[in-house]
DNA sequence: CATATTTGACCAAC
DNA sequence: GTTGGTCAAATATG
């Protein structure tokens, strides 16, 4: 565990710019928020505009928050911002079923890696360096996903990453079992991203997907064999570029991701938008590689698109300051 | 053959 | 004790 948490100047600069934007957005949000909001009995267009502004600012702020959060974890995993879950939005539990208090903690087994039982298999693979204690601290967020009718009653396994199911459990009080997935590349690329999929009790067409951890793998699906690409199960409608990037290209990728991207939304909407919700945009670790660009149109709907699933204490993350100006 | 899923067992945390 | 998350052997799939 060496302290390799020092950031390059590029990253520091990036962060500070990010932080500036974040602060500015928050200020703006505060100003808008304190608008007296005259309770006019009639709906003036101005009111509507104000509301829109509020929503927009809220979006911006939460995007910043998520971004910083992700950046934080991927760059310096040793610092925790909000280790506890519970921050995950309760989200539309229309069924009023309290469900478990969002404490979907992993249970870090003591032996953890390497064959719990002793399948030997050897440890000579130093990939297995993952502190089990950190697993709980991994970033976590969830989404509600609605399957489309014509897609059949199939789970929403449709994000850009490839997952491998490793478990299923009946959950107390839930009608449907919960499925557990981990990144396919866990063993090969030491990628510890996981997700859980839970079908909603009340609305069978809605799946609650909880992601934990960010992908450190490069999900490059570059089928070496020139002949027909060996796709797995998923359809093939999506052709992703699968660009492998080098760390030095990070800024570039961030730049492109942070610019106004209206694709992925309805065609030609001039809505300012940061990258979508976490599972849909791609990020790499600061010192990792890659980040491929892609904007798939989800076949399913993300129900609470605007809900900041990951709520962060809006106090300013001081660790970032330290990282930058240490 | 390799790779993915199923499913009971195991374990940590209540 | 129960519950939720993970492991891994058995099984399925290509």
């Amino acid at each position: 565990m060496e302290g390799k948490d020092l950031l390059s100047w590029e990253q520091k600069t990036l962060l500070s710019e990010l932080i500036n934007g974040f602060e500015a957005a928050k200020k703006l949000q505060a100003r808008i928020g304190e608008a007296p909001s005259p309770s006019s009995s009639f709906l003036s267009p101005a009111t509507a505009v104000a509301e829109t502004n509020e929503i927009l600012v809220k979006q911006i702020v939460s995007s910043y928050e998520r971004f910083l959060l992700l950046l934080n974890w991927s760059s310096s995993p040793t610092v925790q911002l909000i280790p506890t879950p519970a921050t995950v939005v309760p989200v539309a539990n229309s069924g009023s079923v309290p469900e478990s208090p969002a404490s979907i903690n992993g249970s870090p087994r003591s032996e953890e890696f390497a064959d719990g039982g002793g399948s030997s298999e050897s440890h000579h693979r130093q990939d297995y360096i993952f502190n089990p204690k950190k697993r709980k601290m991994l970033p976590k967020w969830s989404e509600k996903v609605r399957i489309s009718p014509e897609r059949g009653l199939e789970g929403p396994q449709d994000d850009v990453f490839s997952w491998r199911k490793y478990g299923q459990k009946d959950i107390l009080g839930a009608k449907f079992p919960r499925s557990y997935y981990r990144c396919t590349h866990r063993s090969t690329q030491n990628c510890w991203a996981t997700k859980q999929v839970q079908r909603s009790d009340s609305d069978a067409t809605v799946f609650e997907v909880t992601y934990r951890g960010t992908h450190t793998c490069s999900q490059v699906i570059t089928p070496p064999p020139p002949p027909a690409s060996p796709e797995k199960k998923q359809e093939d409608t999506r052709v992703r570029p699968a660009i492998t990037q080098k760390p030095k290209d990070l800024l570039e990728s961030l730049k492109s991701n942070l610019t106004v991207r209206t694709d992925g939304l309805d065609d030609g909407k001039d809505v300012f938008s940061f990258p979508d919700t976490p599972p849909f945009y791609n990020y790499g670790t600061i010192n990792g590689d890659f980040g491929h660009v892609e904007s798939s149109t989800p076949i399913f709907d993300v129900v609470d698109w605007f809900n900041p699933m990951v709520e962060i204490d809006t106090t300013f993350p001081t660790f970032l300051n330290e990282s930058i100006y240490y």
Side-chain angles (χ1 to χ4, degrees):
Chain A
M1 296 69 176
E2 318 307 315
K4 58 147 194 177
D5 43 348
L6 297 184
L7 303 175
S8 73
W9 73 268
E10 257 188 357
Q11 292 162 352
K12 290 176 190 174
T13 306
L14 172 67
L15 274 175
S16 88
E17 286 303 322
L18 212 56
I19 288 164
N20 283 341
F22 181 53
E23 286 187 314
K26 286 191 66 178
K27 282 178 187 170
L28 182 58
Q29 186 183 35
R31 295 183 93 182
I32 291 181
E34 70 191 12
S37 168
S39 56
S40 51
S41 52
F42 60 94
L43 277 179
S44 66
T47 309
V49 170
E51 286 175 359
T52 305
N53 288 344
E54 197 171 347
I55 291 173
L56 286 175
V57 172
K58 192 174 179 182
Q59 279 183 255
I60 293 171
V61 169
S62 61
S63 287
Y64 269 117
E65 287 173 347
R66 279 192 298 239
F67 191 95
L68 287 169
L69 180 66
L70 290 168
L71 214 53
N72 174 32
W73 256 293
S74 51
S75 61
S76 53
T78 50
V79 288
Q80 73 268 38
L81 184 50
I82 44 170
T84 58
T87 50
V88 176
V89 103
V91 208
N93 248 345
S94 52
S96 77
V97 179
E99 196 79 311
S100 52
S103 61
I104 313 179
N105 298 336
S107 47
R109 313 160 62 103
S110 46
E111 73 280 8
E112 187 55 46
F113 337 116
D115 49 290
S119 50
S120 53
E121 182 54 38
S122 76
H123 302 141
H124 68 309
R125 191 196 289 284
Q126 29 116 305
D127 303 351
Y128 274 136
I129 37 173
F130 189 86
N131 191 338
K133 293 198 168 185
K134 284 182 185 170
R135 187 174 290 189
K136 270 193 261 191
M137 297 163 31
L138 290 173
K140 184 182 145 195
W141 64 94
S142 29
E143 280 186 358
K144 291 206 169 180
V145 160
R146 172 171 293 139
I147 59 174
S148 65
E150 63 272 359
R151 186 108 168 115
L153 289 186
E154 180 70 36
Q157 348 269 339
D158 205 77
D159 43 64
V160 299
F161 298 106
S162 58
W163 302 95
R164 165 117 147 220
K165 187 171 184 176
Y166 68 85
Q168 178 169 308
K169 262 289 206 195
D170 283 315
I171 300 302
L172 196 71
K175 287 197 231 166
F176 304 100
R178 175 177 301 167
S179 298
Y180 300 87
Y181 299 85
R182 47 161 231 232
C183 178
T184 306
H185 310 295
R186 171 181 300 228
S187 51
T188 59
Q189 296 186 44
N190 197 31
C191 177
W192 290 84
T194 61
K195 78 169 178 181
Q196 304 174 356
V197 177
Q198 169 83 62
R199 193 170 201 161
S200 168
D201 295 337
S202 43
D203 188 347
T205 67
V206 171
F207 288 79
E208 211 164 318
V209 185
T210 300
Y211 297 86
R212 181 190 290 272
T214 58
H215 284 269
T216 57
C217 62
S218 57
Q219 296 252 350
V220 183
I221 35 180
T222 49
S229 60
E231 72 255 337
K232 318 199 161 181
K233 45 172 184 182
Q234 309 274 75
E235 72 315 316
D236 42 350
T237 58
R238 221 198 328 273
V239 195
R240 32 178 169 277
I243 303 166
T244 311
Q245 283 179 254
K246 306 188 172 162
K248 74 185 312 181
D249 295 327
L250 176 65
L251 280 177
E252 206 54 41
S253 90
L254 287 174
K255 221 185 291 174
S256 61
N257 273 336
L258 283 172
T259 48
V260 181
R261 278 181 51 169
T262 55
D263 48 4
L265 299 176
D266 288 1
D267 51 334
K269 268 172 124 181
D270 53 351
V271 179
F272 171 78
S273 78
F274 278 107
D276 318 331
T277 47
F280 294 121
Y281 59 78
N282 315 285
Y283 37 81
T285 49
I286 286 293
N287 35 18
D289 39 9
F290 103 95
H292 50 261
V293 203
E294 97 130 87
S295 63
S296 62
T297 48
I299 309 134
F300 42 84
D301 301 329
V302 173
V303 176
D304 37 14
W305 185 262
F306 293 115
N307 278 3
M309 303 302 285
V310 179
E311 290 181 349
I312 304 176
D313 182 359
T314 49
T315 53
F316 196 71
T318 52
F319 70 92
L320 284 172
N321 283 328
E322 295 172 12
S323 300
I324 294 171
Y325 312 115
Y326 65 99

